[in-house]
Amino acid sequence: MDLVRAHADTMKSIFYSRFFILLPWVLIVIIVMDIDTKRSSVRSTAGSYLARLGDPQRRERPAHAAPSGANRTALLAAQSSRPSRPHTAGRCRKRSFTLLANTFRHGATALFHWVVVEDAGARTDLVARFLARCGVPYTHLHALTPRRFKRSGMPRATEQRNAALGWLRTHRATREPGVVFFADDDNTYSLELFEEMRSTRGVSVWPVGLVGGRRYERPIVENGKVVGWYTGWRADRPFAIDMAGFAVNLEVILANPRALFKRRGAKPGMQESDFLKQITKVEDLEPKAKNCTQVLVWHTRTEKVNLGNEPKRHQDSLMIEV
């Protein structure tokens, strides 16, 4: 009887934890998509973002066995499409998604989860169709950026990143090992980077290539500690680092529920510093990529599409999604 009860409890545990307890095997990728709409704005708190997400679309797949001794810590990579670039949000959107899906599909040594946050009042069919057949487990959300914050010179993807943080705080538990990484469809990633960040205990950092008008920017490391920044812009920033240059342990995110990307008083280029100084100190940063001497991610901007020969009215006999 005890054996039957134990088996039933085990099956129940598996049922309820299929998505949550398998986090050590999950690489969660949060994508921020921009859809320019005229709908009402969202308020700048994680709770209000979540209230507007609706019932997220979600797809899972069975866990694969990891090699013996493999690091089972999950990764969360939050990627944002830039709201100020409509060509990325529209015509380049599927192309960017395809490149990222291929990278994430090959970069995950264990179960991988992709959280997509569209900058829109509702999930779009184009993104939903792509995710349904991309071969990567996903959760599809949306959070609208108010039009007044889409002006040139305003920080980007604030509402979407905060919605992603709120989703994590609602759907993850402090006992679950994981690492949060904010990705971008403008970036190119070495598969080594995913393994580098898995061992993050607090906040880890590494160099980023082709950024800030330089071949690379990086944290300056002495005796295993970050002591400064090699950067082409505002070296006086508390954390003079690109969004692609750091990762945060999930426990740190959950232990600091008020830590968000600022909208009020925020300035472009300062979101990384504004966020990181809420959760860590420079002296506590963990250098990765051989003490920040190796570039494993590059800031490669999406090229603007040339459609100079595209007819104003559709002339082909077929309507093909691009």
Side-chain angles (χ1 to χ4, degrees):
M1 186 67 178
D2 290 340
L3 181 60
V4 173
R5 184 180 295 108
H7 178 72
D9 290 343
T10 299
M11 294 304 295
K12 182 178 179 181
S13 175
I14 292 174
F15 177 79
Y16 284 113
S17 67
R18 184 169 184 262
F19 182 67
F20 303 111
I21 305 304
L22 284 178
L23 181 64
W25 288 80
V26 177
L27 172 57
I28 306 174
V29 183
I30 298 182
I31 303 296
V32 178
M33 293 302 302
D34 173 63
I35 305 296
D36 192 10
T37 73
K38 296 183 179 180
R39 301 199 181 191
S40 58
S41 66
V42 293
R43 290 170 292 181
S44 56
T45 65
S48 64
Y49 297 139
L50 287 173
R52 294 172 181 260
L53 294 181
D55 184 25
Q57 294 178 344
R58 181 178 298 165
R59 172 173 290 183
E60 305 288 342
R61 73 181 176 193
H64 297 290
S68 177
N71 189 328
R72 295 188 175 188
T73 302
L75 305 179
L76 181 150
Q79 176 268 336
S80 64
S81 294
R82 302 303 177 90
S84 64
R85 280 180 251 146
H87 62 276
T88 299
R91 293 160 183 159
C92 294
R93 183 169 31 173
K94 190 174 179 181
R95 180 184 71 179
S96 298
F97 266 167
T98 300
L99 292 172
L100 284 167
N102 290 340
T103 299
F104 297 148
R105 194 161 50 235
H106 289 88
T109 58
L111 191 65
F112 186 111
H113 198 81
W114 196 359
V115 178
V116 179
V117 184
E118 289 195 71
D119 185 351
R123 290 182 294 268
T124 63
D125 291 340
L126 185 149
V127 176
R129 286 194 300 268
F130 175 86
L131 292 173
R133 59 177 182 259
C134 72
V136 180
Y138 68 89
T139 295
H140 186 187
L141 309 173
H142 63 90
L144 181 65
T145 298
R147 290 184 63 83
R148 66 181 181 278
F149 294 140
K150 289 194 173 189
R151 300 192 306 271
S152 176
M154 300 292 288
R156 302 158 175 165
T158 301
E159 285 72 25
Q160 293 73 40
R161 291 190 182 111
N162 286 339
L165 291 173
W167 182 85
L168 279 176
R169 288 162 177 153
T170 301
H171 293 84
R172 295 299 185 228
T174 55
R175 67 181 181 277
E176 301 171 11
V179 174
V180 180
F181 172 52
F182 295 95
D184 197 305
D185 64 357
D186 272 356
N187 297 336
T188 300
Y189 302 95
S190 167
L191 302 186
E192 298 175 59
L193 182 62
F194 302 136
E195 291 307 311
E196 282 283 319
M197 69 176 76
R198 285 184 188 275
S199 59
T200 301
R201 299 183 303 274
V203 178
S204 60
V205 293
W206 52 80
V208 177
L210 307 178
V211 66
R214 294 190 174 186
R215 291 193 304 122
Y216 62 87
E217 293 184 340
R218 72 179 185 93
I220 299 173
V221 179
E222 294 181 3
N223 299 318
K225 294 288 185 179
V226 175
V227 297
W229 310 93
Y230 177 79
T231 178
W233 183 76
R234 291 288 303 272
D236 61 329
R237 287 174 288 164
F239 296 86
I241 193 169
D242 187 76
M243 196 71 70
F246 69 92
V248 185
N249 190 287
L250 178 61
E251 290 186 7
V252 176
I253 296 294
L254 299 181
N256 294 273
R258 294 181 179 273
L260 294 170
F261 288 91
K262 292 183 178 180
R263 174 58 77 188
R264 183 174 299 176
K267 299 178 180 179
M270 295 298 292
Q271 282 202 315
E272 297 89 344
S273 284
D274 289 342
F275 177 70
L276 288 173
K277 67 185 182 182
Q278 299 175 66
I279 61 175
T280 191
K281 299 177 181 178
V282 172
E283 56 266 29
D284 294 331
L285 295 175
E286 305 163 31
K288 300 293 183 184
K290 297 182 178 179
N291 268 338
C292 296
T293 63
Q294 186 179 29
V295 174
L296 298 176
V297 57
W298 296 262
H299 193 60
T300 49
R301 293 182 179 274
T302 302
E303 183 180 357
K304 186 174 182 179
V305 176
N306 180 4
L307 296 177
N309 293 325
E310 181 73 10
K312 293 183 179 180
R313 294 183 179 181
H314 190 74
Q315 297 179 357
D316 193 358
S317 60
L318 299 177
M319 180 65 73
I320 298 177
E321 181 181 281
V322 179

